[in-house]
Amino acid sequence: MRKFIFLAVVTLLAGCATDAERSLQAQKDVDQMMQIYGPACQRLGYKADSNEWRNCVLRLDTKNNVERYPVTTTCFGHPGLFQCNTF
């Protein structure tokens, strides 16, 4: 029983990411967004590495994510008492 608990704890801890790992992954995500959407924003007339260009990159990435992963909200109940779930 002790071995099982020990293995379960080790498995759970192995799945945790450190702050440095999360930061590195976030930087990789930003670099990937800039590679994918940067040229399109330049073709749209935005100067590279300007604030407008960065906003364009973020807007295009957000648009792509919304199209790829649509949000669905379902509400049920009666007037005055609703329960809504968003997926």
Side-chain angles (χ1 to χ4, degrees), residues 7-62:
L7 289 175
V9 170
V10 168
T11 303
L12 289 174
L13 291 177
C16 297
T18 64
D19 288 339
E21 291 170 336
R22 284 191 294 271
S23 177
L24 183 61
Q25 182 60 44
Q27 185 61 45
K28 286 180 184 178
D29 292 343
V30 169
D31 291 341
Q32 184 180 18
M33 279 188 333
M34 290 170 39
Q35 285 179 337
I36 294 171
Y37 302 113
C41 289
Q42 285 179 327
R43 284 192 301 267
L44 287 171
Y46 297 104
K47 184 180 175 196
D49 296 324
S50 67
N51 284 337
E52 292 83 12
W53 179 81
R54 290 181 189 94
N55 286 336
C56 175
V57 169
L58 290 174
R59 283 193 315 266
L60 289 177
D61 182 60
T62 301

Side-chain angles (χ1 to χ4, degrees), residues 43-86:
R43 284 192 301 267
L44 287 171
Y46 297 104
K47 184 180 175 196
D49 296 324
S50 67
N51 284 337
E52 292 83 12
W53 179 81
R54 290 181 189 94
N55 286 336
C56 175
V57 169
L58 290 174
R59 283 193 315 266
L60 289 177
D61 182 60
T62 301
K63 179 182 177 286
N64 187 23
N65 285 336
V66 167
E67 289 173 355
R68 185 179 299 160
Y69 309 109
V71 176
T72 303
T73 301
T74 304
C75 297
F76 62 92
H78 57 83
L81 182 61
F82 286 103
Q83 174 66 39
C84 297
N85 294 318
T86 301

